[in-house]
Amino acid sequence: MDAIFESLPQYWDGFLRTLFLAVISGVIALIVGTILAAMRVSPVAALRGFSTFYVEVARNTPLTIIFFFSAIVLPRLGIKFEQFEVAAVIALSTYTAAFVAEAVRSGVNSVPVGQAEAARSIGMTFTQVLGLVILPQALRTVVPPLINIMIALVKNSSVAGAFFVMELFGYGLQLTNSHGDAVMWILIGVAFFYLLITVPLGLLAHFIEKKVAIAR
Amino acid sequence: MTSVLYDVPGPKARRISLIGSIIGSVIIAAGVVGAIVILSSQGIFNSSRWEVFVNDYAADVWTQLGLGVLATLQAAGVAAVIAFPLGVAFCLLRISLIPWVRIPTQVVLEFLRGMPVVLMILFVLLVFATSPFTAVVSGLVLYNAAIFAEILRAGIQSLPKGQREAGLAIGLRSFQSRMSIEFPQAIRRMLPSLIAQLVVLLKDTSLGYIVAYEELLRKVKLIADLEPSLLFSAFFVGAAIYILINLSVSRLAIMIERRGTKKAAGGVASAIKTVDLDVNAPQ
């Protein structure tokens, strides 16, 4: 138990880095994912094809492999990063963007067809239909699944700890080495800090889901 | 839905779309060419980097990769086989009528779902001092059992109330009704989600890399450590194997989903039909 209190500074540093990774990659993934979803429903065949290909491949590749690529293979190919955080953000956002794209796409599909037809019949173009009518409604229904994706992102960021980034899991690995006698307590401490992020997010998703269900 | 978003393109729109396609393709092609230039500047396309897959050592390399694939599938298989019954048990406890059982289970499930799988694997590995294989399997079992339980619960809650009521009315105990009436239907309904979760499980076996379980990615690393110039080629082959396995399982999920939507649309009436079909279907 003492081991936890002794290591509080490391936990705190790791906690902040985990949050940092999750927020930065989350924002990038949201933007890239929404663009991918828009490409997926666009009239331009090349964009549709690319988006489909990207989403299929990224969703079926283990995150560890993507991390391995960005943290170990890329530097060997001459693309070096000052900090491994950059590699982690690249890996997390490429992976998560595919899931965001799928969630947004199913959100687009959940908007009643009449909405699109109405927008089209008053003469809106594809960009207007999507940007002014469909996406604002789709994003609302898509918020609970998106929060779940963000929870997964927070948990996934732990893989970065094994690829030289000192976030919560990275410190967990380090501290279990230095506190060989209190391994269990150290890891319970790490778990606590993860739950500190994931449980409130889960409650939030649950709450919003209920709200949306009432509104419909 | 997609076609509702825009008109059937006329000649002008087709031209714009064609130009868009060309520009899009050019950008994508430029990215690919850029990647190839970077790769070839590192000598990736020299045959020396690849001949290890065909020369005298090829047998060894492929054996190692094969062992890696086997280890990956083994961990995933064992974990799935244990996780599923455990998930059913969790689900039973989670929907129990006794608050004393239900609420603690809910807490445990929330805990398991909110935890990174790597952390659970590391916990088992260090605290119980097990082999990497046991650690990977236990971590995957705990996490996926919790997910399976949630999926099954969603399935059971989506059933019409009458199913359970009818079961109780003909004198089944609550447990009997769950096992012989509700779960079979819930599993059927949720088959696509369950298989999608299997893909996740399969993907997560690669976390074994972190605790030195000798799965596919670890084998790739081993090959690359022996001969650093082979890093990219070994990685490329390993990643391709992983993606191929996962894509085929995902395809299977989509196939089952399509088949399922054809059969099980609607409520009770179609459920009776599905049961009929199942009895008559050739095994």
Side-chain angles (χ1 to χ4, degrees), chain A residues 11 167-177 186-187 190, chain B residues 122:
Chain A
Y11 278 141
E167 44 70 79
L168 270 175
F169 184 75
Y171 274 116
L173 285 175
Q174 193 196 52
L175 289 171
T176 46
N177 276 329
I186 292 287
L187 291 180
V190 175
Chain B
L122 189 72

Side-chain angles (χ1 to χ4, degrees), chain A residues 23-39 54 93 96-98 100-101 104 135 139 146 150:
Chain A
V23 169
I24 303 278
S25 332
V27 170
I28 298 176
L30 276 181
I31 297 170
V32 176
T34 312
I35 295 174
L36 280 170
M39 283 163 76
Y54 178 91
S93 41
T96 311
V100 172
V104 173
L135 277 185
L139 283 178
L146 279 184
M150 292 304 135

Side-chain angles (χ1 to χ4, degrees), chain A residues 133-151:
Chain A
V133 179
I134 305 291
L135 277 185
Q137 296 185 65
L139 283 178
R140 212 187 60 149
T141 43
V142 118
V143 167
L146 279 184
I147 296 178
N148 284 331
I149 292 174
M150 292 304 135
I151 296 177

Side-chain angles (χ1 to χ4, degrees), chain B residues 63-79 133 136-137 140 202 205-206 208 213-219 242:
Chain B
T63 314
Q64 285 303 312
L65 287 177
L67 285 175
V69 174
L70 213 63
T72 293
L73 292 179
Q74 202 180 5
V78 173
F133 176 76
V136 170
V137 169
L140 289 175
L202 193 56
T205 51
S206 67
Y213 175 54
E214 299 262 311
E215 46 73 72
L216 187 50
L217 191 57
R218 185 47 71 174
K219 293 288 185 194
Y242 246 121

Side-chain angles (χ1 to χ4, degrees), chain B residues 211-283:
Chain B
V211 293
Y213 175 54
E214 299 262 311
E215 46 73 72
L216 187 50
L217 191 57
R218 185 47 71 174
K219 293 288 185 194
V220 167
K221 186 80 170 37
L222 277 180
I223 295 173
D225 284 345
L226 286 178
E227 182 51 63
S229 65
L230 289 178
L231 177 68
F232 184 80
S233 14
F235 173 80
F236 184 81
V237 173
I241 296 175
Y242 246 121
I243 294 172
L244 275 182
I245 298 175
N246 288 328
L247 269 179
S248 14
V249 183
S250 297
R251 287 285 123 198
L252 184 72
I254 293 172
M255 255 170 57
I256 289 177
E257 195 169 2
R258 293 231 171 98
R259 212 192 58 172
T261 45
K262 258 186 232 154
K263 274 190 189 173
V268 193
S270 64
I272 295 165
K273 257 185 234 148
T274 8
V275 174
D276 266 352
L277 278 175
D278 245 14
V279 172
N280 299 330
Q283 291 300 313

Side-chain angles (χ1 to χ4, degrees), chain A residues 54-62 95 98-99 102, chain B residues 199 203 250:
Chain A
Y54 178 91
V55 170
E56 279 294 298
V57 170
R59 286 201 329 154
N60 285 295
T61 311
Y95 182 74
F99 289 88
E102 274 300 280
Chain B
V199 178
K203 274 164 47 173
S250 297

